[in-house]
Structure formats: structure tokens, C-alpha cells
Amino acid sequence: MTGVTASLGGMNLVCRGAAATSRTVLITGVSKGLGRALALELAKRGHTVIGCSRAQDKLNALRSELSAALAAANSSSSEKHLLLDADVRSDSSVEELARTVMEKNGVPDIIVNNAGTINRNNKIWELPVEEFDNVIDTNIKGTANVLRHFIPLMITRKQGIIVNMSSGWGRAGAALVAPYCASKWAIEGLTRSVAKELPEGMAVVALNPGVINTEMLASCFGNSAALYQAPEAWAPKAATMILNLTAADNGASLTV
């Protein structure tokens, strides 16, 4: 793949040979939407997927699909896939996740902080406090919990890539989704700040996936969400971009 150049989000991307090396990738919120599509795409390419979600039934279904994907790819890494029930909103749950991942798979090469939620369309003063708290707890605290427990593990190896899922609404405002916008602006700031704390050899980036037809988009756009690309169409581009990230990308705000 060395020397092949692609353009994603306005960025010229050189597909380095390292991307062809099997990686271990941890994806939060793996049971649906972008997380699920990315996990399946990575599995098809022969990479090992570690995923977490609160939906055990969806994890079970994904486990079968991952095994099938790896069988089709004729890869031996299917035995190493690890899907766990974990709630990123809970620091103790993420602490246990980190312990289990270390015991069974070791330190991930890449972490994708994908778990997220959005509020129902509503003006900030009419939004129930519980709904606001859930967005903040999932999107900001959930990401922080993963960083807290996994960065020290990556530091011991002096390498690792972390992708914090952002949004176009983390770089602009929009009516009726103020809590979500606030959470993604926070992800942008958190990423830039943590980037200054990481040692050489590591990187953390904020990644805007673009506008994708997911349940979250449908909650905002209604039937119009169907006009946008499906997660399965997005995943190959996103996987290539993520696999090609290096320490030189530390602190960047990128778009698929």
C-alpha cells in the first residue's frame, strides 16, 4: 500500500505499509451505528476488534458477524475478538473493562471513543435535566473515563493512537441540540489539551465522521436522515483513515 494516496475530508492521506499490519482496535459503543460498521470493516481486513456496549443482545449478534467476517478473510485473529458489556458513563465499569482487556488481549494499538448519544430535539430550557445529564455523562465523561484508564497502559508501550469521535456540531452550533453540540465542542477541546500531555510516539485526534444515516441522525432529521450515506458505506473510508494515523497527527481535528 506504500505510496498510494487518497483524499479524505480534504486531507491527502498516504496509505502507509503499517496499515497492512494487523492491529488491535478498541471501539466503544460497538453494538450499532458507526461503531458496529467500523468493527465489521476492520474484522474483514484481518484486524482484532475489542468492543464494548451496554446492549448484550446486540453484542451477541455482532460476535457472530465478526467471526463470519474473519472466516471470510481467512484470518486467525477471530479467536482474539473480545466484546464486553460495559458502560462508559461509569468509571468503575471502564476500570474493569481495562483490566479485562489487558488480561485477554493486552494494550490496544488504537482506541476509538465512539460511544455517544444525543438529546431529543428541544430548546435547552425545555429539556429534562436527566436527558441533558445523559448526553454529558456519555459523550464527555465516557470519553474521559476511557482516557483515564487506557492512556497509562499505552504509555508503557510508548505508542498508541486514540480517536475521539467529534461532529460537525463540535465545530459549529445548531438549534435544538445544544447539549450534544456542547459535548462535541468539549471533545474538541479535550482532545487538543490531552494531545499536549501525551509523550512522543502517541497521538489523540478528534474525528468528525461526517453526516451518516444512523439512529442519532434520524432523531434530529427524521425521514431526511435516509438521504445520507449508510454506516456501511462510511466504514471503509473511516477505517483506512484511522489505520493510517501516526504520532504526527497528534492534536489534529480531522474529518472523514
Side-chain angles (χ1 to χ4, degrees):
M1 294 177 67
T2 303
V4 177
T5 302
S7 178
L8 291 174
M11 181 181 73
N12 287 327
L13 177 67
V14 178
C15 296
R16 308 175 181 92
T21 304
S22 180
R23 310 285 188 84
T24 298
V25 185
L26 168 65
I27 305 172
T28 66
V30 77
S31 65
K32 62 182 181 179
L34 302 186
R36 176 182 175 278
L38 182 60
L40 290 170
E41 179 63 29
L42 291 169
K44 290 176 185 176
R45 300 188 187 195
H47 300 286
T48 298
V49 173
I50 303 172
C52 70
S53 168
R54 292 180 291 150
Q56 187 61 58
D57 56 335
K58 293 182 179 179
L59 286 176
N60 293 339
L62 177 59
R63 183 175 290 108
S64 298
E65 292 184 74
L66 287 173
S67 295
L70 264 295
N74 195 28
S75 171
S76 61
S77 63
S78 59
E79 298 176 357
K80 298 183 180 179
H81 288 319
L82 183 63
L83 299 180
L84 299 167
D85 187 336
D87 185 351
V88 298
R89 299 173 301 179
S90 164
D91 182 70
S92 61
S93 181
V94 176
E95 182 178 25
E96 177 64 18
L97 172 68
R99 184 191 65 78
T100 303
V101 168
M102 280 298 293
E103 287 182 356
K104 295 183 179 295
N105 291 73
V107 183
D109 298 301
I110 301 171
I111 293 174
V112 182
N113 277 311
N114 169 73
T117 190
I118 196 168
N119 58 285
R120 290 172 293 179
N121 287 3
N122 214 339
K123 296 173 183 176
I124 189 68
W125 58 89
E126 296 176 350
L127 188 76
V129 64
E130 297 81 9
E131 198 168 339
F132 182 93
D133 288 348
N134 187 46
V135 172
I136 300 305
D137 289 347
T138 304
N139 297 3
I140 304 176
K141 293 183 181 179
T143 297
N145 288 338
V146 173
L147 298 179
R148 180 179 303 113
H149 292 289
F150 280 92
I151 285 179
L153 304 179
M154 287 181 154
I155 287 176
T156 62
R157 294 179 58 196
K158 299 181 180 179
Q159 63 181 14
I161 301 295
I162 302 168
V163 178
N164 294 332
M165 282 297 192
S166 182
S167 169
W169 283 342
R171 302 167 191 174
L176 306 182
V177 286
Y180 181 79
C181 291
S183 74
K184 293 305 181 179
W185 276 83
I187 289 299
E188 293 280 338
L190 179 68
T191 299
R192 294 185 187 187
S193 298
V194 172
K196 298 180 181 296
E197 300 172 351
L198 293 180
E200 290 187 13
M202 294 180 61
V204 58
V205 304
L207 182 63
N208 169 18
V211 186
I212 319 297
N213 181 15
T214 62
E215 290 181 13
M216 286 174 57
L217 189 70
S219 76
C220 305
F221 286 15
N223 294 335
S224 298
L227 299 174
Y228 296 89
Q229 66 178 322
E232 294 74 20
W234 166 87
K237 295 175 287 185
T240 296
M241 189 174 195
I242 290 170
L243 291 169
N244 280 280
L245 291 170
T246 72
D249 297 302
N250 190 33
S253 292
L254 307 174
T255 300
V256 176

